């Protein structure tokens, strides 16, 4: 294709309607027709990136191969498309203003008064088109964060208006995602909020080309005609997005509604190919028809908000489908794990995953969970901070270093088995100063991780500042906590295992970020396999005891 086409996804009436899932589902359908597609997210908050945000504020921070700390929607993009994203796929208002102010300081505006229009909007337009101008994509889908009418979203909406005018109607279109609420007292769906939302969009100079209507009930033909008439769109461009049992149903639902066909026709692209969703539907079939089930405890400190561990939860779905297993995840707050409650909270589980995190809150509960899994031979998976807790627990309870800790938690610990990197010690800024992005790791062949990956060199994504302290490596290995993965350039420890445990693996990186529908992560697959074996063994022991 000579020219890249652009699709903009805006939202109205309410937040959390699922713009990211709609964007990813449309991208999947277009990809399944043979088009080269990518998705980007424009976030209206003034933070430079989500890296300094508490997970309760905005869900998890998703990290790309090139080390960008991004919005969690990029995780959906990668999981659906099985293609990596980058720094260019996520832009925030903070980054936009930072760039414009830096240009002004360098004198690039030749003494002009710097204004929202044209300087901020030009910067936004430039960021939107970076991926399109790379020559790698036929279609770029851009999701605009927030809700139409929000003050902070106005520069993005204005930039979209300008781009749509500059590119022309056949090169750019706007999909507006909105809500059709059901009033139980009246017993009917109401279109007025959508009409007002579309009107607000039009007041900014943008006409919605396609309406995607989130609803709990099916839209009748009469209601679709009404929406088309009052919102100035074609009837076939009124798309129903009904509640689904899983987000992975949405591409098929959008296919039935013809969303991809409407988009391709407006962009004057061929639409004669039928999307090839065979692999996708095979995954769905395995996901919905498991042969057994296991219960995994997710030990974390942000468990009240499920989006805090979104990639981990999705990785369990992928690995569960691969193994034809239903994975029931029980969220357990580490702050409330103690000697009195540990048996009640963890003893019934088929596997324990200690999740990533920062700070000292809930640390001791995580350590107790690790100890229980180690001593009772329960399959254990530690990710980032979870791996560090495994090192601390082993140092205290096996090696005998009772005051062992992480320097992040206790700066005065006599045994800092987890310590800050030397080059990090003088850094005062919080954002973007950790070990970020993809780093190489060499695996030991005689190990659980090598069995899972079936290769010796891997590259996984990181997001942390503190590291395994190599000063204690020899002592820990002699005591039985083996190092089975090391960064070849730095010598930093990436993976630890206990060989005489059925499955005890801690990794310094975040494997969940690279798990997709098409390629479930091998460590999650292996962990679920171990949990299934443990569950079957428990059941057989109970049966023999009854006899």
């Amino acid at each position: 294709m000579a020219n890249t086409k652009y699709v903009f996804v805006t939202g109205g009436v309410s937040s959390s309607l699922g713009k990211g899932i709609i964007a990813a589902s449309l991208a999947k359908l277009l990809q399944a027709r043979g088009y080269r597609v990518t998705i980007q997210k424009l976030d209206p908050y003034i933070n430079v990136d989500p890296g300094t945000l508490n997970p309760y504020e905005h869900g998890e921070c998703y990290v790309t191969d090139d080390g960008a700390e991004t919005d969690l929607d990029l995780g959906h993009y990668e999981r659906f498309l099985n293609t990596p994203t980058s720094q260019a796929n996520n832009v925030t208002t903070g980054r936009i203003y930072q760039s414009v102010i830096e240009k002004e300081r360098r004198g690039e505006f030749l003494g002009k008064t710097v204004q929202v229009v044209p300087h901020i909007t030009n910067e936004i337009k430039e960021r939107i088109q970076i991926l399109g101008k790379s020559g790698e994509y036929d279609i770029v889908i851009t999701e605009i964060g927030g809700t139409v009418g929000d003050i902070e979203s106005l520069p993005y909406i204005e930039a979209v208006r300008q781009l749509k005018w500059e590119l022309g109607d056949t090169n750019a279109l706007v999909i507006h995602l909105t809500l059709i609420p059901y009033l139980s007292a009246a017993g009917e769906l109401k279109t007025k909020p959508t009409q007002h939302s579309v009107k607000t969009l039009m007041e900014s100079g943008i006409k919605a080309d396609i309406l995607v209507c989130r609803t709990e009930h099916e839209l009748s033909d009469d209601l679709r005609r009404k929406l088309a008439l009052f919102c100035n769109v074609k009837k076939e461009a009124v798309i129903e997005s009904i509640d689904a049992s899983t987000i992975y149903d949405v591409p098929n639902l959008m296919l039935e509604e013809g969303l991809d066909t409407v988009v391709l026709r407006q962009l004057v692209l061929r639409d004669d190919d039928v999307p090839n969703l065979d692999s996708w539907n095979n995954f769905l079939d395995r996901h919905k028809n498991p042969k057994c089930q296991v219960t995994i405890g997710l030990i974390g400190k942000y468990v009240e908000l499920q989006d805090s561990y979104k990639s981990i939860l999705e990785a369990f779905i992928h690995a569960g489908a691969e193994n034809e297993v239903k994975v029931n995840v029980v969220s357990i707050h580490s702050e409330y794990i103690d000697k009195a409650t540990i048996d009640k909270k963890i003893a019934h589980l088929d596997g324990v995953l200690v999740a990533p995190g920062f700070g000292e809150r809930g640390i001791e509960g995580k350590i107790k969970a690790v100890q229980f899994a180690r001593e009772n031979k329960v399959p254990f998976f530690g990710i980032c901070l979870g791996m560090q807790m495994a090192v601390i627990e082993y140092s205290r309870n096996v090696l005998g270093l009772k005051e062992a800790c992480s320097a992040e938690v206790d700066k005065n610990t006599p045994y800092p088995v987890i310590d800050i990197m030397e080059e990090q010690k003088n850094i005062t800024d919080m954002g973007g100063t950790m070990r970020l992005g993809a780093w190489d790791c060499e695996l030991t062949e005689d190990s659980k991780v090598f069995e899972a990956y079936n290769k010796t060199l891997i590259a996984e994504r990181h997001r942390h500042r503190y590291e395994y302290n190599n000063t204690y490596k020899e002592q820990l290995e002699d005591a039985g906590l083996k190092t089975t993965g090391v960064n070849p350039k730095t010598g930093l420890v990436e993976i630890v295992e206990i060989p005489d445990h059925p499955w005890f693996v801690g990794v310094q990186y975040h494997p969940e970020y690279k798990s997709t529908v098409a390629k479930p992560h091998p460590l999650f697959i292996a962990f679920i396999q171990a949990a299934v074996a443990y569950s079957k063994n428990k059941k057989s022991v109970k049966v023999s005891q009854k006899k």
Side-chain angles (χ1 to χ4, degrees), residues 356-390:
F358 292 93
E360 63 184 66
R361 185 170 63 90
I363 289 298
E364 293 302 322
K366 289 187 175 185
I367 292 171
K368 286 182 175 62
V370 175
Q371 182 179 3
F372 185 93
R374 178 181 61 80
E375 292 178 347
N376 292 278
K377 305 294 185 181
V378 180
F380 168 81
F381 194 6
I383 295 178
C384 197
L385 184 67
M387 174 265 209
Q388 296 178 359
M389 295 304 99

Side-chain angles (χ1 to χ4, degrees), residues 263-289:
V263 167
L264 291 172
R265 286 177 181 173
Q266 172 135 348
L267 295 177
V268 194
L269 296 173
R270 56 176 178 78
D271 67 340
D272 48 344
D273 292 337
V274 177
N276 182 356
L277 293 174
D278 291 347
S279 176
W280 186 271
N281 288 327
N282 286 337
F283 155 77
L284 268 176
D285 184 59
R286 293 193 302 273
H287 172 51
K288 292 184 174 183
N289 298 285

Side-chain angles (χ1 to χ4, degrees), residues 97 99-105 107-120:
Y97 273 83
S99 177
V100 170
I101 290 168
E102 286 172 353
K103 288 179 180 179
E104 184 271 336
R105 294 287 82 189
E108 291 188 23
F109 299 126
L110 301 175
K112 295 285 187 181
T113 302
V114 179
Q115 297 175 290
V116 173
V117 181
H119 300 98
I120 297 298

